[in-house]
Amino acid sequence: MEKIKMTTPLVEMDGDEMTRILWAMIKDKLILPFVDLKTEYYDLGLLHRNETKDQVTVDAANATKKYGVAVKCATITPNKQRMEEYPQLTEMWKSPNGTIRSILDGTVFRTPICIDAIQPVVKNWKKPITIARHAYGDVYKSVDFVTTQPGTCTMTFQGEDGEEQSVVVQKVDGPAVWQGAHNKDQSIRSFARACFQYAVDTRQDLWFSTKDTIAKVYDGEFKKIFEEEFEGYQAKFQELGITYFYTLIDDAVARVIRSEGGYIWACKNYDGDVMSDMVSTAFGSLAMMTSVLVAPDGTTEYEAAHGTVTRHYYRHLKGEKTSTNPMATIFAWSGALRKRGELDGLPDLSAFAGKLEQACFDTLNAGIMTKDLVGLVEPGFQAQAVDSEAFLDAIAQRLA
Ligand code: NAP
Ligand code: MG
Protein backbone atom coordinates (compact mmCIF):
# COMPACT_ATOMS: atom_id res chain seq x y z
CA MET A 1 0.00 0.00 0.00
CA GLU A 2 1.32 3.42 -0.93
CA LYS A 3 1.55 5.88 1.93
CA ILE A 4 -0.30 9.19 1.85
CA LYS A 5 2.03 12.04 0.92
CA MET A 6 2.39 15.32 2.80
CA THR A 7 3.84 18.55 1.40
CA THR A 8 4.21 20.86 4.42
CA PRO A 9 5.47 19.68 7.79
CA LEU A 10 3.25 19.54 10.83
CA VAL A 11 4.77 21.05 13.96
CA GLU A 12 5.02 18.16 16.41
CA MET A 13 5.42 18.99 20.11
CA ASP A 14 6.27 15.94 22.19
CA GLY A 15 5.49 15.97 25.91
CA ASP A 16 5.73 14.13 29.21
CA GLU A 17 4.93 11.00 31.19
CA MET A 18 2.10 8.66 30.14
CA THR A 19 0.98 10.84 27.26
CA ARG A 20 4.53 10.75 25.86
CA ILE A 21 4.36 6.94 25.90
CA LEU A 22 0.97 7.03 24.16
CA TRP A 23 2.29 9.60 21.68
CA ALA A 24 4.94 7.21 20.34
CA MET A 25 2.47 4.30 20.24
CA ILE A 26 -0.11 6.35 18.32
CA LYS A 27 2.49 7.36 15.74
CA ASP A 28 3.84 3.82 15.35
CA LYS A 29 0.53 2.02 15.17
CA LEU A 30 -1.92 4.50 13.65
CA ILE A 31 -0.04 7.05 11.57
CA LEU A 32 3.37 5.95 10.28
CA PRO A 33 2.02 2.76 8.56
CA PHE A 34 -0.36 4.90 6.48
CA VAL A 35 1.10 8.39 6.12
CA ASP A 36 4.48 9.50 4.84
CA LEU A 37 4.59 11.72 7.90
CA LYS A 38 6.41 15.03 7.67
CA THR A 39 6.87 16.81 10.96
CA GLU A 40 9.15 19.42 12.43
CA TYR A 41 9.78 17.85 15.83
CA TYR A 42 10.12 19.81 19.08
CA ASP A 43 10.72 17.97 22.32
CA LEU A 44 8.72 19.82 24.97
CA GLY A 45 9.44 17.13 27.55
CA LEU A 46 10.26 18.82 30.86
CA LEU A 47 13.96 17.91 30.87
CA HIS A 48 14.51 19.19 27.35
CA ARG A 49 12.68 22.41 28.17
CA ASN A 50 15.06 22.71 31.11
CA GLU A 51 18.17 22.03 28.97
CA THR A 52 17.14 24.70 26.48
CA LYS A 53 16.03 27.16 29.18
CA ASP A 54 12.54 26.80 27.70
CA GLN A 55 13.72 28.15 24.33
CA VAL A 56 12.30 24.99 22.71
CA THR A 57 8.78 26.06 23.66
CA VAL A 58 9.27 29.47 22.07
CA ASP A 59 10.80 27.87 18.97
CA ALA A 60 7.88 25.46 18.68
CA ALA A 61 5.37 28.31 18.95
CA ASN A 62 7.22 30.30 16.28
CA ALA A 63 7.35 27.26 14.01
CA THR A 64 3.58 26.92 14.47
CA LYS A 65 3.18 30.51 13.29
CA LYS A 66 5.33 29.71 10.27
CA TYR A 67 3.62 26.47 9.19
CA GLY A 68 0.10 27.14 10.51
CA VAL A 69 -0.66 23.78 12.16
CA ALA A 70 0.72 22.01 15.24
CA VAL A 71 -0.10 18.96 17.33
CA LYS A 72 0.92 18.95 20.99
CA CYS A 73 1.30 16.23 23.61
CA ALA A 74 0.40 17.02 27.23
CA THR A 75 3.30 18.48 29.23
CA ILE A 76 4.19 18.89 32.89
CA THR A 77 3.81 22.38 34.30
CA PRO A 78 6.37 22.34 37.10
CA ASN A 79 5.25 23.19 40.63
CA LYS A 80 7.01 22.89 43.98
CA GLN A 81 6.51 19.15 44.11
CA ARG A 82 7.93 18.71 40.59
CA MET A 83 11.01 20.75 41.57
CA GLU A 84 11.69 18.09 44.22
CA GLU A 85 10.90 15.24 41.83
CA TYR A 86 13.29 16.66 39.20
CA PRO A 87 16.21 18.20 41.16
CA GLN A 88 18.02 19.05 37.91
CA LEU A 89 15.45 21.76 37.10
CA THR A 90 17.14 25.16 37.14
CA GLU A 91 13.86 27.09 37.20
CA MET A 92 10.15 26.52 37.77
CA TRP A 93 9.42 26.83 34.03
CA LYS A 94 6.11 28.36 33.07
CA SER A 95 3.23 26.40 31.58
CA PRO A 96 4.11 25.64 27.92
CA ASN A 97 0.44 26.08 27.04
CA GLY A 98 0.49 29.58 28.51
CA THR A 99 3.68 30.46 26.61
CA ILE A 100 2.33 29.14 23.31
CA ARG A 101 -1.05 30.80 23.84
CA SER A 102 0.50 34.20 24.41
CA ILE A 103 2.87 33.92 21.40
CA LEU A 104 0.01 32.87 19.11
CA ASP A 105 -2.50 35.23 20.78
CA GLY A 106 -4.87 32.29 20.62
CA THR A 107 -8.22 31.19 22.01
CA VAL A 108 -8.84 27.67 23.32
CA PHE A 109 -11.82 25.67 22.02
CA ARG A 110 -12.78 22.52 23.91
CA THR A 111 -14.99 19.87 22.34
CA PRO A 112 -16.16 16.52 23.72
CA ILE A 113 -15.79 13.37 21.60
CA CYS A 114 -19.25 11.80 21.72
CA ILE A 115 -20.20 8.13 21.29
CA ASP A 116 -23.62 6.46 21.40
CA ALA A 117 -22.67 4.16 24.25
CA ILE A 118 -21.95 7.11 26.55
CA GLN A 119 -24.89 9.49 26.74
CA PRO A 120 -24.50 12.99 28.16
CA VAL A 121 -26.24 13.69 31.46
CA VAL A 122 -28.40 16.21 29.59
CA LYS A 123 -30.63 13.86 27.59
CA ASN A 124 -31.42 16.18 24.68
CA TRP A 125 -27.76 16.90 23.84
CA LYS A 126 -27.24 15.02 20.58
CA LYS A 127 -24.15 16.81 19.26
CA PRO A 128 -21.02 18.16 20.94
CA ILE A 129 -20.98 21.66 22.41
CA THR A 130 -17.71 23.51 21.98
CA ILE A 131 -16.74 26.08 24.60
CA ALA A 132 -14.51 28.97 23.54
CA ARG A 133 -13.05 30.68 26.57
CA HIS A 134 -11.47 34.12 26.45
CA ALA A 135 -8.12 33.66 28.15
CA TYR A 136 -7.16 37.18 29.16
CA GLY A 137 -8.13 39.63 31.90
CA ASP A 138 -11.30 40.32 33.91
CA VAL A 139 -11.17 38.83 37.41
CA TYR A 140 -8.03 36.82 36.50
CA LYS A 141 -5.99 40.00 36.25
CA SER A 142 -7.88 42.06 38.82
CA VAL A 143 -6.69 43.79 41.97
CA ASP A 144 -8.68 43.93 45.17
CA PHE A 145 -8.53 45.06 48.78
CA VAL A 146 -10.56 45.29 51.97
CA THR A 147 -11.31 48.55 53.79
CA THR A 148 -12.47 48.90 57.37
CA GLN A 149 -13.86 52.42 57.81
CA PRO A 150 -16.51 54.59 56.16
CA GLY A 151 -15.26 56.38 53.06
CA THR A 152 -15.30 56.66 49.28
CA CYS A 153 -13.54 54.58 46.64
CA THR A 154 -12.73 56.12 43.27
CA MET A 155 -11.22 54.62 40.13
CA THR A 156 -8.85 56.77 38.13
CA PHE A 157 -7.21 56.26 34.76
CA GLN A 158 -4.19 58.36 33.92
CA GLY A 159 -3.55 58.73 30.20
CA GLU A 160 0.02 58.99 28.95
CA ASP A 161 -0.87 62.47 27.65
CA GLY A 162 -1.69 63.48 31.23
CA GLU A 163 -5.45 63.40 30.81
CA GLU A 164 -7.36 61.82 33.71
CA GLN A 165 -10.66 59.99 33.86
CA SER A 166 -12.24 59.28 37.22
CA VAL A 167 -15.41 57.71 38.65
CA VAL A 168 -16.72 57.15 42.15
CA VAL A 169 -17.04 53.40 42.65
CA GLN A 170 -19.08 53.71 45.86
CA LYS A 171 -19.39 55.65 49.07
CA VAL A 172 -19.70 53.25 52.03
CA ASP A 173 -20.62 53.70 55.70
CA GLY A 174 -18.61 50.72 57.01
CA PRO A 175 -16.16 47.93 56.12
CA ALA A 176 -16.17 46.95 52.45
CA VAL A 177 -14.40 44.90 49.78
CA TRP A 178 -13.28 46.26 46.40
CA GLN A 179 -12.10 44.99 43.05
CA GLY A 180 -10.59 46.63 39.97
CA ALA A 181 -10.74 44.64 36.72
CA HIS A 182 -9.87 45.37 33.12
CA ASN A 183 -9.70 43.95 29.64
CA LYS A 184 -8.00 45.17 26.48
CA ASP A 185 -9.79 45.94 23.23
CA GLN A 186 -7.05 44.18 21.29
CA SER A 187 -7.46 40.98 23.29
CA ILE A 188 -11.25 41.00 22.92
CA ARG A 189 -10.84 41.58 19.18
CA SER A 190 -8.43 38.63 18.82
CA PHE A 191 -10.88 36.49 20.80
CA ALA A 192 -13.74 37.53 18.51
CA ARG A 193 -11.75 36.81 15.35
CA ALA A 194 -10.61 33.41 16.60
CA CYS A 195 -14.25 32.53 17.37
CA PHE A 196 -15.59 33.62 13.98
CA GLN A 197 -12.70 31.87 12.22
CA TYR A 198 -13.28 28.63 14.13
CA ALA A 199 -17.02 28.78 13.39
CA VAL A 200 -16.18 29.04 9.68
CA ASP A 201 -13.57 26.28 9.87
CA THR A 202 -15.91 23.87 11.65
CA ARG A 203 -19.14 25.12 9.95
CA GLN A 204 -20.96 25.60 13.23
CA ASP A 205 -23.13 28.39 14.63
CA LEU A 206 -21.45 30.73 17.08
CA TRP A 207 -23.17 31.85 20.29
CA PHE A 208 -21.74 34.60 22.45
CA SER A 209 -23.07 35.66 25.83
CA THR A 210 -22.26 38.35 28.39
CA LYS A 211 -24.22 40.32 30.99
CA ASP A 212 -24.40 43.62 29.13
CA THR A 213 -27.74 44.57 30.71
CA ILE A 214 -25.89 44.98 34.03
CA ALA A 215 -22.28 45.66 32.97
CA LYS A 216 -23.48 48.05 30.29
CA VAL A 217 -20.10 49.56 29.51
CA TYR A 218 -17.76 46.65 30.33
CA ASP A 219 -19.69 43.79 28.74
CA GLY A 220 -21.15 46.25 26.24
CA GLU A 221 -17.61 46.69 24.91
CA PHE A 222 -17.32 42.93 24.33
CA LYS A 223 -20.66 42.88 22.51
CA LYS A 224 -19.72 45.88 20.36
CA ILE A 225 -16.32 44.48 19.36
CA PHE A 226 -17.88 41.14 18.43
CA GLU A 227 -20.42 42.98 16.25
CA GLU A 228 -17.66 44.97 14.55
CA GLU A 229 -15.57 41.88 13.87
CA PHE A 230 -18.60 39.97 12.62
CA GLU A 231 -18.92 42.41 9.71
CA GLY A 232 -15.80 40.87 8.18
CA TYR A 233 -17.28 37.35 8.45
CA GLN A 234 -20.95 37.99 7.66
CA ALA A 235 -20.72 37.04 3.97
CA LYS A 236 -18.83 33.85 4.77
CA PHE A 237 -21.36 32.90 7.46
CA GLN A 238 -24.20 33.45 4.98
CA GLU A 239 -22.48 31.35 2.35
CA LEU A 240 -22.01 28.47 4.82
CA GLY A 241 -25.50 28.81 6.28
CA ILE A 242 -24.25 29.36 9.81
CA THR A 243 -25.31 32.10 12.22
CA TYR A 244 -23.85 34.38 14.87
CA PHE A 245 -26.15 34.69 17.86
CA TYR A 246 -25.67 37.05 20.79
CA THR A 247 -27.67 36.62 23.98
CA LEU A 248 -27.51 37.32 27.71
CA ILE A 249 -25.53 34.74 29.72
CA ASP A 250 -28.57 33.65 31.77
CA ASP A 251 -30.64 33.20 28.62
CA ALA A 252 -27.72 31.30 27.06
CA VAL A 253 -27.54 28.88 30.00
CA ALA A 254 -31.24 28.05 29.65
CA ARG A 255 -30.97 27.63 25.87
CA VAL A 256 -27.83 25.47 26.11
CA ILE A 257 -29.53 23.04 28.49
CA ARG A 258 -32.58 22.77 26.22
CA SER A 259 -30.55 22.54 22.97
CA GLU A 260 -29.41 19.61 20.87
CA GLY A 261 -25.81 20.89 20.85
CA GLY A 262 -23.76 21.27 17.71
CA TYR A 263 -22.52 24.86 18.12
CA ILE A 264 -19.71 26.93 19.62
CA TRP A 265 -20.44 28.87 22.79
CA ALA A 266 -18.03 31.76 23.29
CA CYS A 267 -17.67 32.89 26.90
CA LYS A 268 -15.81 35.57 28.78
CA ASN A 269 -12.91 34.35 30.90
CA TYR A 270 -14.79 33.51 34.12
CA ASP A 271 -17.94 32.25 32.39
CA GLY A 272 -15.76 30.00 30.21
CA ASP A 273 -13.90 28.62 33.22
CA VAL A 274 -17.14 27.63 34.93
CA MET A 275 -19.17 26.58 31.89
CA SER A 276 -16.42 24.44 30.37
CA ASP A 277 -16.26 22.35 33.56
CA MET A 278 -20.03 22.02 33.56
CA VAL A 279 -20.26 21.06 29.89
CA SER A 280 -17.31 18.64 29.96
CA THR A 281 -18.59 16.89 33.09
CA ALA A 282 -22.07 16.58 31.61
CA PHE A 283 -20.61 15.02 28.45
CA GLY A 284 -18.71 12.36 30.40
CA SER A 285 -14.95 12.46 30.69
CA LEU A 286 -11.86 14.65 30.37
CA ALA A 287 -10.19 11.76 28.57
CA MET A 288 -12.75 12.31 25.76
CA MET A 289 -12.20 16.05 25.40
CA THR A 290 -10.11 17.69 22.69
CA SER A 291 -8.67 21.14 22.87
CA VAL A 292 -7.74 23.41 19.96
CA LEU A 293 -5.84 26.68 20.19
CA VAL A 294 -6.80 29.03 17.35
CA ALA A 295 -5.01 32.29 16.60
CA PRO A 296 -6.84 35.22 14.98
CA ASP A 297 -4.95 34.54 11.71
CA GLY A 298 -6.19 30.94 11.70
CA THR A 299 -3.00 29.28 13.02
CA THR A 300 -4.12 26.17 14.88
CA GLU A 301 -2.64 23.89 17.55
CA TYR A 302 -4.38 20.62 18.48
CA GLU A 303 -4.05 18.77 21.79
CA ALA A 304 -5.88 16.72 24.42
CA ALA A 305 -7.62 18.56 27.25
CA HIS A 306 -6.23 16.23 29.94
CA GLY A 307 -2.78 16.25 31.51
CA THR A 308 0.13 13.79 31.45
CA VAL A 309 -1.76 11.16 33.53
CA THR A 310 1.05 10.89 36.10
CA ARG A 311 -0.47 8.10 38.19
CA HIS A 312 -0.63 5.78 35.18
CA TYR A 313 2.93 6.69 34.21
CA TYR A 314 4.32 5.52 37.54
CA ARG A 315 2.48 2.23 37.11
CA HIS A 316 3.92 1.99 33.57
CA LEU A 317 7.44 2.53 34.97
CA LYS A 318 6.89 -0.41 37.32
CA GLY A 319 6.26 -2.55 34.26
CA GLU A 320 2.46 -2.66 34.57
CA LYS A 321 0.22 -2.37 31.53
CA THR A 322 -2.06 0.63 31.94
CA SER A 323 -5.47 1.28 30.47
CA THR A 324 -4.92 4.97 29.70
CA ASN A 325 -7.37 6.46 27.23
CA PRO A 326 -5.58 7.70 24.08
CA MET A 327 -8.73 9.05 22.33
CA ALA A 328 -8.15 12.77 22.92
CA THR A 329 -4.52 12.49 21.80
CA ILE A 330 -5.49 10.52 18.67
CA PHE A 331 -8.09 13.18 17.85
CA ALA A 332 -5.44 15.87 18.29
CA TRP A 333 -3.44 14.08 15.56
CA SER A 334 -6.44 13.56 13.29
CA GLY A 335 -7.47 17.20 13.71
CA ALA A 336 -4.00 18.41 12.79
CA LEU A 337 -3.67 16.07 9.79
CA ARG A 338 -7.12 17.07 8.51
CA LYS A 339 -6.25 20.77 8.80
CA ARG A 340 -2.89 20.22 7.06
CA GLY A 341 -4.72 18.39 4.27
CA GLU A 342 -7.21 21.24 3.87
CA LEU A 343 -4.54 23.93 3.80
CA ASP A 344 -2.32 22.04 1.35
CA GLY A 345 -5.07 20.74 -0.93
CA LEU A 346 -4.42 17.09 -0.01
CA PRO A 347 -7.87 15.46 0.16
CA ASP A 348 -6.36 12.03 0.84
CA LEU A 349 -4.72 13.33 3.99
CA SER A 350 -7.96 14.89 5.23
CA ALA A 351 -9.86 11.72 4.34
CA PHE A 352 -7.31 9.68 6.32
CA ALA A 353 -8.07 11.81 9.39
CA GLY A 354 -11.75 10.94 9.01
CA LYS A 355 -10.96 7.24 8.61
CA LEU A 356 -8.77 7.26 11.69
CA GLU A 357 -11.57 8.83 13.75
CA GLN A 358 -14.07 6.36 12.30
CA ALA A 359 -11.80 3.43 13.25
CA CYS A 360 -11.76 4.78 16.83
CA PHE A 361 -15.57 5.00 16.88
CA ASP A 362 -15.91 1.51 15.37
CA THR A 363 -13.63 0.12 18.08
CA LEU A 364 -15.59 1.80 20.88
CA ASN A 365 -18.92 0.78 19.35
CA ALA A 366 -17.66 -2.81 19.32
CA GLY A 367 -17.35 -2.48 23.10
CA ILE A 368 -13.55 -2.38 23.15
CA MET A 369 -12.47 0.52 25.36
CA THR A 370 -10.15 1.69 28.11
CA LYS A 371 -11.11 1.21 31.75
CA ASP A 372 -12.15 4.83 32.37
CA LEU A 373 -14.97 4.52 29.80
CA VAL A 374 -16.32 1.12 30.82
CA GLY A 375 -17.86 2.64 33.95
CA LEU A 376 -19.65 5.32 31.91
CA VAL A 377 -21.49 3.24 29.31
CA GLU A 378 -25.26 2.96 29.17
CA PRO A 379 -26.86 -0.01 30.92
CA GLY A 380 -27.05 -3.03 28.62
CA PHE A 381 -24.08 -2.02 26.46
CA GLN A 382 -21.45 -4.78 26.52
CA ALA A 383 -18.06 -3.23 27.14
CA GLN A 384 -14.70 -4.84 27.76
CA ALA A 385 -11.78 -2.98 29.32
CA VAL A 386 -8.45 -3.42 27.55
CA ASP A 387 -5.03 -1.84 28.07
CA SER A 388 -3.88 1.08 25.92
CA GLU A 389 -1.81 -1.06 23.62
CA ALA A 390 -4.61 -3.54 22.92
CA PHE A 391 -7.00 -0.63 22.34
CA LEU A 392 -4.61 0.96 19.81
CA ASP A 393 -4.11 -2.42 18.10
CA ALA A 394 -7.87 -2.83 17.78
CA ILE A 395 -8.10 0.60 16.15
CA ALA A 396 -5.14 -0.13 13.84
CA GLN A 397 -6.77 -3.38 12.72
CA ARG A 398 -9.97 -1.57 11.73
CA LEU A 399 -8.06 1.29 10.11
CA ALA A 400 -6.03 -1.10 7.94
P1 NAP B 1 -4.37 14.48 34.43
O1 NAP B 1 -3.06 14.11 33.87
O2 NAP B 1 -5.41 14.93 33.46
O3 NAP B 1 -4.91 13.22 35.23
C1 NAP B 1 -5.81 13.28 36.32
C2 NAP B 1 -6.54 11.95 36.45
O4 NAP B 1 -7.59 11.91 35.49
C3 NAP B 1 -5.68 10.73 36.15
O5 NAP B 1 -4.95 10.32 37.27
C4 NAP B 1 -6.72 9.73 35.68
O6 NAP B 1 -7.47 9.22 36.77
C5 NAP B 1 -7.67 10.63 34.90
N1 NAP B 1 -7.28 10.76 33.47
C6 NAP B 1 -6.88 11.88 32.81
N2 NAP B 1 -6.62 11.61 31.54
C7 NAP B 1 -6.86 10.30 31.37
C8 NAP B 1 -6.76 9.41 30.26
N3 NAP B 1 -6.35 9.85 29.05
N4 NAP B 1 -7.07 8.10 30.44
C9 NAP B 1 -7.48 7.66 31.64
N5 NAP B 1 -7.58 8.44 32.72
C10 NAP B 1 -7.28 9.75 32.59
O7 NAP B 1 -4.23 15.66 35.51
P2 NAP B 1 -3.19 15.87 36.72
O8 NAP B 1 -2.85 14.55 37.34
O9 NAP B 1 -3.78 16.94 37.52
O10 NAP B 1 -1.87 16.45 36.05
C11 NAP B 1 -0.73 15.69 35.69
C12 NAP B 1 0.26 16.58 34.98
O11 NAP B 1 -0.30 17.05 33.76
C13 NAP B 1 0.66 17.82 35.78
O12 NAP B 1 2.06 17.90 35.83
C14 NAP B 1 0.09 18.98 34.99
O13 NAP B 1 0.95 20.09 34.99
C15 NAP B 1 -0.04 18.43 33.62
N6 NAP B 1 -1.15 19.00 32.81
C16 NAP B 1 -0.88 19.30 31.51
C17 NAP B 1 -1.86 19.77 30.67
C18 NAP B 1 -1.51 20.10 29.24
O14 NAP B 1 -0.37 19.93 28.84
N7 NAP B 1 -2.44 20.50 28.44
C19 NAP B 1 -3.17 19.93 31.14
C20 NAP B 1 -3.44 19.57 32.48
C21 NAP B 1 -2.43 19.12 33.29
P3 NAP B 1 -7.09 7.83 37.54
O15 NAP B 1 -5.68 7.97 38.03
O16 NAP B 1 -8.11 7.79 38.62
O17 NAP B 1 -7.23 6.72 36.53
MG1 MG C 1 -11.95 25.53 35.82
Side-chain angles (χ1 to χ4, degrees), residues 316-355:
H316 166 84
L317 288 183
K318 278 194 245 154
E320 284 175 42
K321 289 216 171 228
T322 72
S323 185
T324 318
N325 191 340
M327 281 290 289
T329 305
I330 298 171
F331 275 59
W333 274 98
S334 61
L337 291 171
R338 176 183 293 111
K339 182 80 180 174
R340 199 62 277 167
E342 283 168 9
L343 290 178
D344 298 347
L346 300 171
D348 286 354
L349 189 61
S350 300
F352 170 76
K355 287 173 189 163

Side-chain angles (χ1 to χ4, degrees), residues 138-258:
D138 303 347
V139 71
Y140 301 86
K141 265 206 184 319
S142 66
V143 289
D144 39 21
F145 57 67
V146 168
T147 54
T148 53
Q149 54 169 326
T152 303
C153 181
T154 58
M155 182 165 75
T156 307
F157 173 80
Q158 205 140 41
E160 278 185 355
D161 67 359
E163 200 188 314
E164 264 190 20
Q165 230 174 302
S166 204
V167 290
V168 172
V169 178
Q170 195 68 250
K171 185 176 180 215
V172 293
D173 54 12
V177 59
W178 310 88
Q179 183 172 70
H182 84 287
N183 219 300
K184 297 196 279 196
D185 273 23
Q186 191 48 53
S187 173
I188 302 169
R189 210 168 284 285
S190 293
F191 174 49
R193 277 187 208 152
C195 290
F196 290 122
Q197 182 65 44
Y198 197 64
V200 166
D201 285 352
T202 60
R203 291 173 168 66
Q204 294 184 93
D205 292 343
L206 176 69
W207 297 16
F208 180 46
S209 56
T210 72
K211 191 72 178 174
D212 70 302
T213 44
I214 301 300
K216 288 191 174 63
V217 175
Y218 198 106
D219 285 11
E221 190 71 7
F222 279 78
K223 185 181 178 188
K224 189 188 90 194
I225 289 174
F226 264 71
E227 274 163 14
E228 286 167 6
E229 288 303 320
F230 182 51
E231 281 172 24
Y233 288 90
Q234 204 152 13
K236 193 75 200 165
F237 267 55
Q238 225 150 33
E239 184 191 318
L240 295 174
I242 57 176
T243 55
Y244 168 56
F245 172 59
Y246 175 85
T247 187
L248 281 176
I249 179 88
D250 29 4
D251 180 51
V253 168
R255 284 174 188 263
V256 164
I257 296 297
R258 283 196 307 259

Side-chain angles (χ1 to χ4, degrees), residues 18-37:
M18 201 59 216
T19 40
R20 188 181 179 100
I21 308 293
L22 292 177
W23 192 261
M25 293 202 310
I26 290 168
K27 279 173 68 180
D28 282 347
K29 291 179 189 290
L30 301 181
I31 298 171
L32 292 172
F34 308 99
V35 179
D36 197 4
L37 186 67

Side-chain angles (χ1 to χ4, degrees), residues 352-386:
F352 170 76
K355 287 173 189 163
L356 173 55
E357 291 173 359
Q358 193 55 50
C360 292
F361 287 130
D362 291 347
T363 306
L364 293 172
N365 289 336
I368 302 167
M369 47 185 69
T370 46
K371 212 159 105 189
D372 55 306
L373 297 185
V374 169
L376 298 174
V377 300
E378 292 290 297
F381 184 87
Q382 291 297 318
Q384 165 205 357
V386 295

